[in-house]
Amino acid sequence: ENDVYDADKAEAQAKKAQAMAQKRKGRTDANGNSQQQQHQEKDDPEWKFFDTARIHVSGGDGGNGCVAFRREKGAPLGGPSGGRGGRGGSVVLMCEASQNTLAPLRNKVHHRGTKGRNGIGKNKDGQKGKGIVIKVPPGTVVRDLKTQKLAGELREDGDILLVARGGRGGRGNAAFMTTRRTAPKLMEFGEPGAQRWLSIELRLVADVGFLGVPNAGKSTLLAAASAARPKIANYPFTTIVPNLGVCDIGDEGAGLVLCDIPGLIEGAAGGAGLGPAFLRHVQRCKVLLHVVDGTSEDPIGDFKTINKELENYDEFLAE
């Protein structure tokens, strides 16, 4: 009886095996799109351009001082010999020309320097804490998250900005010895390191910035003038992140850095379209080049619309 072939049971097993295989490849949603396809769309390289980040930095605490006395043969009253504690590690931002996005700061939010070692006897100071160096791209603007007060800007390769100083190490009892107090039993605790939340903003530094309405030909012009290969298609908002390219002007080592800003629409300064996310990059361009589509219904109107949005966002850009 066990050898009898059951068609319904075989069909059920085949469906179960097919469902398990589909589950391993990626679950499907109501529209029939697999989860793997959704992850590919979500992890599209174009969406990996991060120009804003929020991080928490804290310097390492300082080491404590030491209470110790010198005990050696032939020196019964050697006096105090407690060393100082080491300073905690500081957190600094360093401009790195090879960086072009703030994605690493999105992956790791908290940055803390290591604590300084405590002082020990024989007047030996504690070891300093290890500092943290965070690499950021050129054009990074740093502000305090709560007050929005400008802390600094990193423009050129190698620029360094201290954002969280490590705590000072405490003094040992050797530092408190005086002519009247020859055997002090005092020491200091290390100071805590500075802590704060920072708002990091990237403003691309370029020589020429391309402005225009969506699908005006900015990416096509960038591809023709440089070796960059931005995404080009016949529909609006093809470019969703700024693209950079270098135009060779003949001299060795000389070139213009071109920046393709995503298309702007009416009301961009107030929050419409992709305007608020990328209008900040316009402020760092030395020259703004308007790209106007001659085949549009109102080319002059498009030009005036872009100028109006620039004026609403920053009056200096309109000048």
Side-chain angles (χ1 to χ4, degrees):
E1 294 180 359
N2 296 333
D3 297 336
V4 177
Y5 177 73
D6 190 350
D8 295 336
K9 184 178 180 180
E11 184 178 359
Q13 291 178 351
K15 289 183 178 180
K16 185 177 180 181
Q18 185 178 2
M20 292 297 294
Q22 186 67 23
K23 185 177 180 180
R24 285 192 296 268
K25 292 182 180 178
R27 297 179 181 177
T28 58
D29 57 8
N31 298 328
N33 298 327
S34 66
Q35 193 176 23
Q36 186 176 6
Q37 294 177 352
Q38 295 175 6
H39 284 311
Q40 290 177 354
E41 294 176 358
K42 184 178 179 181
D43 297 337
D44 193 327
E46 291 187 346
W47 288 105
K48 292 182 180 180
F49 181 88
F50 297 111
D51 56 354
T52 58
R54 185 184 64 175
I55 62 174
H56 181 265
V57 293
S58 56
D61 298 336
N64 300 329
C66 176
V67 175
F69 294 91
R70 183 181 174 191
R71 306 290 186 186
E72 292 183 7
K73 184 179 180 180
L77 301 177
S81 63
R84 295 172 175 263
R87 176 178 287 275
S90 302
V91 182
V92 298
L93 300 179
M94 186 176 69
C95 184
E96 181 70 27
S98 61
Q99 301 283 337
N100 59 1
T101 178
L102 297 178
L105 301 185
R106 290 287 191 94
N107 298 332
K108 185 178 180 181
V109 178
H110 296 275
H111 303 268
R112 182 179 178 85
T114 58
K115 183 180 182 296
R117 294 289 188 92
N118 297 333
I120 57 178
K122 296 184 179 180
N123 291 319
K124 293 183 179 181
D125 297 340
Q127 185 180 9
K128 295 182 180 180
K130 185 178 181 181
I132 303 297
V133 179
I134 306 174
K135 297 182 180 180
V136 295
T140 300
V141 179
V142 184
R143 298 179 182 274
D144 187 84
L145 184 62
K146 293 183 179 180
T147 63
Q148 289 300 312
K149 184 178 179 181
L150 181 64
E153 183 176 358
L154 302 166
R155 296 186 178 183
E156 299 180 358
D157 186 23
D159 290 351
I160 295 178
L161 177 64
L162 177 63
V163 292
R165 186 184 299 275
R168 183 179 63 88
R171 293 178 292 176
N173 65 336
F176 294 97
M177 189 180 78
T178 62
T179 55
R180 290 189 176 183
R181 183 183 294 172
T182 58
K185 296 182 180 180
L186 302 177
M187 51 80 69
E188 287 182 339
F189 291 102
E191 296 180 353
Q195 299 184 16
R196 58 177 57 91
W197 281 94
L198 297 177
S199 175
I200 311 296
E201 181 180 303
L202 174 61
R203 296 180 179 179
L204 294 177
V205 179
D207 296 323
V208 182
F210 296 158
L211 292 177
V213 296
N215 208 25
K218 301 181 295 297
S219 299
T220 304
L221 179 60
L222 179 67
S226 67
R229 291 296 176 262
K231 186 177 180 180
I232 300 175
N234 189 19
Y235 57 86
F237 295 108
T238 306
T239 302
I240 55 179
V241 297
N243 295 312
L244 291 177
V246 179
C247 177
D248 188 9
I249 57 177
D251 298 335
E252 184 178 358
L256 292 176
V257 180
L258 310 179
C259 181
D260 175 19
I261 306 296
L264 304 176
I265 60 176
E266 186 175 359
L274 299 176
F278 302 111
L279 270 173
R280 66 172 64 94
H281 301 295
V282 180
Q283 295 177 319
R284 288 294 180 267
C285 296
K286 298 179 181 178
V287 177
L288 297 179
L289 178 63
H290 285 264
V291 180
V292 181
D293 184 8
T295 60
S296 64
E297 297 180 357
D298 188 7
I300 304 300
D302 296 340
F303 177 76
K304 293 182 178 179
T305 300
I306 299 299
N307 282 337
K308 183 178 179 181
E309 296 304 323
L310 293 178
E311 182 179 0
N312 294 336
Y313 183 76
D314 190 351
E315 295 182 355
F316 177 76
L317 296 177
E319 299 176 359

